[in-house]
Amino acid sequence: MADEGTSSTLVIIGAVLQLIFFFLLAIGTGLVAMVLTFLPSIPPSALPPGSPPIEVLMGMMSGYVVLFAVMTVFALIFSIVWFMWRGSPSQHKVGLIITGILALLFSGFLPGLLVLIGGAIAPSESTSVATTVTTPKAAPPESKPGVKYCASCGNSVNPDAQFCGICGASVV
């Protein structure tokens, strides 16, 4: 299993690539839409022999515009979400895997694959190492004749006690 840094790196690379794909898809959508607007002005005699009628071509181009527009929106959404999740991939492990799969299908194969791998290798939150804070033991105060102090917590104890009444440590 990889560490948080490797997962974060894969997610950021996927997000940057997805942003590049967004711009390419936006340009492609604009070009196809521009061709669609000029298509009705082409006289049917200017079309190559055997080509479908203008209405069929316009229907196909409209479908492409809608497809590219949907892919563009998905690319933008995924890149924004991945940029937000890049700092803590272990907290968004399932989300990265799901959006990686969706990106594979709808907006960009390579960015989706990188984010899917980044989400898959992200450490689980339950396996993260818990840090414990230990307080240094208090040094017992200077001994006074007839008074005992606990070496563990530093509280005074009865002179004839074998265990501290506060922390339970042996005072023998």
Side-chain angles (χ1 to χ4, degrees), residues 21-22 24-33 61-75 106-107:
F21 280 22
F22 161 74
L24 293 175
L25 285 167
I27 291 169
T29 303
L31 290 175
V32 173
M61 295 296 278
S62 297
Y64 286 129
V65 167
V66 170
L67 176 67
F68 282 169
V70 168
M71 290 172 63
T72 303
V73 169
F74 273 115
F106 296 120
S107 64

Side-chain angles (χ1 to χ4, degrees), residues 55-113:
E55 293 79 27
V56 173
L57 288 174
M58 287 189 61
M60 288 174 31
M61 295 296 278
S62 297
Y64 286 129
V65 167
V66 170
L67 176 67
F68 282 169
V70 168
M71 290 172 63
T72 303
V73 169
F74 273 115
L76 180 62
I77 291 170
F78 290 151
S79 62
I80 290 170
V81 167
W82 294 341
F83 275 119
M84 290 186 334
W85 289 349
R86 76 185 185 281
S88 56
S90 62
Q91 292 177 351
H92 306 288
K93 184 177 177 92
V94 174
L96 289 170
I97 292 171
I98 291 171
T99 57
I101 292 170
L102 290 174
L104 282 170
L105 301 174
F106 296 120
S107 64
F109 184 81
L110 184 59
L113 183 63

Side-chain angles (χ1 to χ4, degrees), residues 147-167:
V147 179
K148 274 182 150 179
Y149 293 95
C150 175
S152 181
C153 69
N155 288 311
S156 61
V157 293
N158 291 335
D160 55 338
Q162 293 181 348
F163 298 98
C164 175
I166 304 297
C167 70

Side-chain angles (χ1 to χ4, degrees), residues 109-128:
F109 184 81
L110 184 59
L113 183 63
L114 289 173
V115 171
L116 176 63
I117 292 170
I121 67 171
S124 299
E125 286 189 85
S126 62
T127 60
S128 63

